[in-house]
Amino acid sequence: MAQVDPSGRGPAPVPGRGPAPPPVPVRAAGPRGAARRRARGPFRILLAMLLTALVVGGAVPYVAGPGRSYLSYLVLAERADADGAGRAAAEARAAGGQVVQEYPQIGVVLAYAGGGFAEKLRGRPGVAAVGATRTSPVPGPPRPLDGAGDFRAGADRVASDWAGDTRVGGGDGGDGGDDATVTVPDPGERDAWNLALLGAAPGAAADATPNLLRGPTAPAPAADALRKVLVAVLDSGVDDTHPDLRAAVDPRSSASCADGRPDARTGSWRPDTGVGESGHGTHVAGIVGAARDGRGVSGVAPGVRIAAVRLLGPLGQYYTENIVCGMLWAADHGARAINNSYFADPWKYNCPGDADQAALTAAVGRAAEYARRKGAVVVASAGNDAQDLGASRADERSPNDRTTGPPQSRYVGPECVRLPGELPGVVTVTAVDRDGRPSAYTNHGRGRVSLAAPGGDPDGGAQGAVVSDWPGGQYAALAGTSMAAAHVTGAVAVAAALHPDWDSDRLAALLAATAAAACPPGPHACGDREYYGAGTLVLPR
């Protein structure tokens, strides 16, 4: 997700642009920034008291044990299949763990246990790795929910049977969630510079900004072709009552994975307004597939079906089990693209030398590879810390789920990776501004990033940021690599509509080749692989 540089030093200079601007509060770019600030200073004490009150009151969905505290663990079997998951579950129970969810697709289980659990399991026959997914304990495992845990829920209904179900509630959504995010008036699909930059703008926007077009406007796939394509937005939830998204979000393919279990109850995929900046997923979904109807905004792939998969949990974290659950859910429901505009908590970068972090990397890696084998292009944001992902760097926010103690800081090497953005085969996206130049905040790195796409400038107001949907029928102007990744996800949908028989690798290769063909070589141009990867996104034709 998009964040400002927490060090206070500001973003690094961008080639050819002179000194970098001072840091700006890009809080609109995602719940990650809010999550970091919640754990600062005296508010830590308040948060700890609040969590205690919530547990006592039953608002936090965990079963309270008799004076015990638990961590969540992912247990990886040597076999990445259902038999492996069964073996991992048996070993976890034998070690005193409570198995909450099995992931038979990849031979992994989620278990809750007290301290020392990982040490008991590591080295056991059939167990490949064990990792704690959090550092701050909870009173117990998640509470039982009817129907939770079923990865096939809703999958028996084929895409052709879905024609835009009536939304439960039928209104314009809730109160919008985060009062700190400034909304903007209905843009009426005007001045869509972000779409013009990649050749996808409605006529009015393209005419208004012809210098931005990287080539002729791409012909849109037929509506029925896009309707057959499903993309998944793994994020903070999506407000499917928003006018731009009512016809896009497919309830049969949507769910919550906010505690590592798939929960397909009606509305589970919607934002939790009690969690800061929960509107982020709605904004991302609008960029991907908002309806083109002359009102609001238009998505890159208007008409595509969206699987809304909420990952953001009640404590404001994207824990690794949530990501694994979301990836598997999306893959099993036929998603052709999976958007990941966030990074995994509690470790901003996961290092192979740490047994817990290595296990988390392996688990998410298995889920991402499973999704790719099932035909999905996995798309992820590069991050907004202005860091070279191929170099040593400071990590001043890990672990980020602590409620007490001083802020943590460490220095990590290039072997430490952002999840899921730096996994093999993942399309990792950097951000460019309205002029097509690297945004000052964007992470970068030769060989570490795949494509560049519109992310906007947080200093440029609504004209320089990316305007998209916000809960409650509203609109917001945000900037970040979160927005950039969403454009690529929409482009994958277009590619899949044009080439329905292509596998994920071929679809990703098409986007890379199309971007490279439109980018002139030379330093500080979009052929600069450190900031652009293959080049700036252009819609495939």
Side-chain angles (χ1 to χ4, degrees):
M1 285 229 183
Q3 300 114 15
V4 294
D5 174 17
S7 67
R9 291 187 295 272
V14 176
R17 300 185 63 177
V24 293
V26 199
R27 44 170 303 112
R32 319 303 312 152
R36 307 301 169 254
R37 281 187 295 277
R38 280 198 303 272
R40 299 279 185 181
F43 196 68
R44 283 201 174 125
I45 300 173
L46 177 59
L47 178 59
M49 295 172 62
L50 175 61
L51 290 177
T52 301
L54 289 174
V55 170
V56 172
V60 174
Y62 297 106
V63 177
R68 298 185 61 186
S69 62
Y70 294 76
L71 293 178
S72 49
Y73 297 86
L74 288 178
V75 183
L76 287 70
E78 291 176 350
R79 294 186 53 166
D81 57 19
D83 289 342
R87 179 61 179 269
E91 293 290 350
R93 293 187 181 101
Q98 297 185 40
V99 175
V100 169
Q101 180 67 48
E102 294 189 17
Y103 308 109
Q105 303 95 322
I106 59 173
V108 176
V109 301
L110 169 65
Y112 277 70
F117 177 74
E119 290 73 14
K120 294 177 184 177
L121 275 182
R122 288 177 184 141
R124 293 287 300 166
V127 175
V130 185
T133 71
R134 65 181 71 212
T135 67
S136 183
V138 293
R143 298 180 184 278
L145 294 175
D146 289 340
D150 180 8
F151 279 100
R152 299 301 300 171
D156 56 346
R157 186 174 182 184
V158 297
S160 60
D161 292 334
W162 182 81
D165 299 39
T166 302
R167 293 289 164 269
V168 174
D172 286 340
D175 61 6
D178 186 2
D179 294 335
T181 298
V182 178
T183 57
V184 299
D186 183 336
E189 294 185 357
R190 295 182 299 275
D191 192 30
W193 68 267
N194 52 310
L195 299 185
L197 189 61
L198 49 94
D207 293 342
T209 55
N211 60 308
L212 296 180
L213 291 175
R214 306 195 53 75
T217 299
D224 59 342
L226 266 175
R227 205 52 158 180
K228 295 176 182 177
V229 177
L230 178 73
V231 299
V233 174
L234 276 55
D235 212 291
S236 62
V238 176
D239 178 8
D240 58 343
T241 70
H242 195 291
D244 280 348
L245 296 171
R246 283 176 182 155
V249 175
D250 180 357
R252 297 286 180 169
S253 302
S254 300
S256 170
C257 279
D259 61 13
R261 302 172 298 174
D263 173 11
R265 292 177 300 166
T266 299
S268 64
W269 53 83
R270 293 176 185 148
D272 180 349
T273 57
V275 180
E277 298 186 38
S278 61
H280 183 272
T282 301
H283 194 276
V284 166
I287 295 171
V288 173
R292 181 170 292 178
D293 56 9
R295 298 172 298 174
V297 299
S298 173
V300 175
V304 72
R305 291 163 46 239
I306 295 175
V309 184
R310 182 163 70 92
L311 301 189
L312 187 64
L315 301 183
Q317 302 289 327
Y318 290 79
Y319 285 119
T320 315
E321 61 266 28
N322 305 9
I323 300 169
V324 168
C325 171
M327 289 263 194
L328 301 181
W329 173 275
D332 282 348
H333 284 74
R336 300 307 312 278
I338 301 176
N339 191 88
N340 304 272
S341 291
Y342 58 85
F343 64 84
D345 296 308
W347 306 99
K348 179 179 173 186
Y349 296 105
N350 288 264
C351 300
D354 180 281
D356 287 319
Q357 295 167 41
L360 305 188
T361 300
V364 179
R366 286 189 186 186
E369 178 58 27
Y370 177 82
R372 292 177 60 225
R373 290 198 309 269
K374 295 278 283 187
V377 178
V378 181
V379 181
S381 55
N384 308 320
D385 295 289
Q387 292 182 331
D388 182 351
L389 298 175
S392 297
R393 54 202 177 275
D395 177 2
E396 299 181 346
R397 58 182 83 175
S398 295
N400 59 30
D401 62 343
R402 297 165 57 92
T403 56
T404 60
Q408 300 297 294
S409 179
R410 60 180 183 161
Y411 204 64
V412 299
E415 74 280 3
C416 301
V417 298
R418 242 177 95 97
L419 296 178
E422 291 187 82
L423 291 171
V426 172
V427 177
T428 304
V429 187
T430 64
V432 296
D433 61 19
R434 186 172 180 135
D435 295 325
R437 306 181 75 175
S439 300
Y441 53 78
T442 190
N443 285 350
H444 51 92
R446 186 176 297 273
R448 298 297 185 106
V449 299
S450 308
L451 288 168
D457 176 5
D459 282 336
Q463 299 301 311
V466 178
V467 176
S468 186
D469 302 322
W470 197 251
Q474 301 182 84
Y475 304 90
L478 316 186
T481 57
S482 290
M483 289 71 246
H487 286 85
V488 173
T489 296
V492 174
V494 171
L498 295 172
H499 308 284
D501 298 329
W502 285 15
D503 64 14
S504 60
D505 289 342
R506 197 171 181 187
L507 291 174
L510 174 62
L511 294 192
T514 305
C519 282
H524 315 322
C526 64
D528 181 348
R529 290 191 170 273
E530 182 176 356
Y531 282 88
Y532 294 88
T536 302
L537 176 69
V538 178
L539 273 195
R541 298 171 173 81

